[in-house]
Amino acid sequence: MWLSRDAHERVADELAALLAEREAGTADTGDVSAQEQREMRIRHLQDVVRSAVVHEPPDDGVAEPGMVLTVRFDGDDDTETFLLGGREGAVASGDLELCSPRSPLGRALTGAVGGERREYAAPDGTRMRVTLVSAVPHRSTITG
């Protein structure tokens, strides 16, 4: 899973806080469900930290995790823009949608360059065609 450095730091900080909370017993209110949820979150964050690929993608126009992609689907004049990455890797940036690199669309676009047309199978089996308009690093899309 791709994570930006900022996202990796936030995940690691949350994990450290949850582990410290568990160690201190400060969150043990007797609510077994809350304790189970905390333990599930700890395991999830440990998996994320363990499997994370932390990097800022190069600004080379090649679609890869961490890039904001603008695409045009065949038959549609409008473009769509989204972050190629996972939920944990997202940095708050307005209404930017996410597309998992593991999804059919994400797999099809990974490695594409601007102007390249790719095809993939939608979940219902329909063959879809999409053209990559542009790919820019996520960090460069954040202003302010």
Side-chain angles (χ1 to χ4, degrees):
M1 167 189 306
W2 166 81
L3 289 179
S4 69
R5 285 177 183 77
D6 290 343
H8 186 267
E9 188 174 304
R10 282 195 319 278
V11 169
D13 288 348
E14 181 184 350
L15 177 58
L18 287 170
L19 291 171
E21 187 178 272
R22 178 175 70 184
E23 177 106 2
T26 57
D28 294 336
T29 61
D31 182 353
V32 175
S33 176
Q35 291 171 19
E36 288 174 355
Q37 287 177 355
R38 180 186 63 212
E39 291 304 313
M40 285 177 28
R41 182 68 178 161
I42 287 171
R43 284 191 299 278
H44 172 72
L45 293 176
Q46 286 171 328
D47 289 344
V48 169
V49 169
R50 221 181 345 263
S51 66
V53 174
V54 181
H55 81 287
E56 302 298 333
D59 192 1
D60 58 4
V62 177
E64 67 176 281
M67 301 291 273
V68 174
L69 308 183
T70 299
V71 301
R72 180 174 290 109
F73 291 92
D74 277 14
D76 193 351
D77 291 335
D78 295 329
T79 60
E80 294 186 29
T81 300
F82 52 84
L83 171 64
L84 186 61
R87 182 174 52 89
E88 299 294 348
V91 177
S93 58
D95 294 328
L96 192 60
E97 297 287 328
L98 294 174
C99 176
S100 170
R102 297 178 187 161
S103 70
L105 176 59
R107 285 193 311 268
L109 289 170
T110 298
V113 295
E116 192 170 342
R117 186 175 178 204
R118 298 279 179 100
E119 188 173 305
Y120 68 98
D124 67 359
T126 304
R127 299 302 297 173
M128 303 289 295
R129 290 185 187 95
V130 62
T131 300
L132 179 66
V133 175
S134 68
V136 297
H138 182 249
R139 178 59 66 198
S140 68
T141 64
I142 300 171
T143 58

